[in-house]
Amino acid sequence: MARPRKPLLSTDRIVGAARALVDAEGLAAVSTRRLAAELGVSGPSLYNHFATKDLILEAVADSVSAQVDLSMFEDGRDWRTALHDWAVSYRAALRDHPNIVPVLARGPGRRPAGLRLADAVFGAMVEAGWPPSQATSIGALMRYFIMGSALGSFAGGFVDDAAAYDPSDYPHLGQAHLLAEHQEKIDERAFEVGLRALLDGLAVRFEGLGRGE
């Protein structure tokens, strides 16, 4: 009986394996040797698809950008609603793959999905009536806010130990030891509060455009 053939090595298989490794163990865990072992192939065979490890990580980052929904910029939603819904989708993708955020934070570079994302946001803002220079600033501002929210957890920065927050030293942190227990809920709420405040400010600025301010 013939032996079953191993699945052919492909770009998608490499990226999928690298993404799983980054998700599980972080960026430092990725090496061509480790990936080759995970895929059951020889190390040099990876170089037929990616010349360097950095290019593999770039591809992983772009695969995460590709998970972000962009339909809100094409289905008639007003610019504010579109930005809100896009930001929620973007953060959800980063929340599912937080270890790749440092690579994404470098900017889209030459990554196709990242460039499509930037193009969609900029185009939608210009079409809505924002001047191109301000549309660029809005895209940057939104990226800073979303990336920042994904880089760490406010609630997760507190330890589950009431003794760490002595009222004599920290009179207003008496409940801080309870934050970590509700980390996800607190972080979600903080993101939504910040996003709405940001959009409120942009809405005021947009009204000013109509008055020639």
Side-chain angles (χ1 to χ4, degrees), residues 179-201:
L179 294 177
E181 181 181 351
H182 306 286
Q183 176 177 327
E184 183 174 349
K185 181 178 180 180
I186 291 170
D187 290 344
E188 291 285 346
R189 186 170 60 206
F191 177 77
E192 189 63 31
V193 169
L195 178 58
R196 290 189 180 278
L198 189 157
L199 294 173
D200 284 346

Side-chain angles (χ1 to χ4, degrees), residues 91-193:
R91 183 173 181 271
L94 300 187
R95 183 188 59 219
D96 291 342
H97 307 281
N99 291 335
I100 199 64
V101 172
V103 179
L104 283 163
R106 299 172 192 164
R110 297 176 181 271
R111 301 184 218 117
L115 290 171
R116 283 193 295 271
L117 188 154
D119 181 73
V121 175
F122 177 79
M125 294 306 100
V126 171
E127 186 174 340
W130 287 96
S133 61
Q134 294 195 40
T136 299
S137 297
I138 290 170
L141 170 64
M142 296 297 292
R143 193 169 69 85
Y144 299 156
F145 176 70
I146 297 165
M147 291 286 178
S149 75
L151 281 172
S153 164
F154 171 79
F158 293 89
V159 297
D160 184 15
D161 180 5
Y165 308 106
D166 190 323
S168 63
D169 294 322
Y170 315 107
H172 305 296
L173 294 181
Q175 302 296 307
H177 64 287
L178 301 176
L179 294 177
E181 181 181 351
H182 306 286
Q183 176 177 327
E184 183 174 349
K185 181 178 180 180
I186 291 170
D187 290 344
E188 291 285 346
R189 186 170 60 206
F191 177 77
E192 189 63 31
V193 169

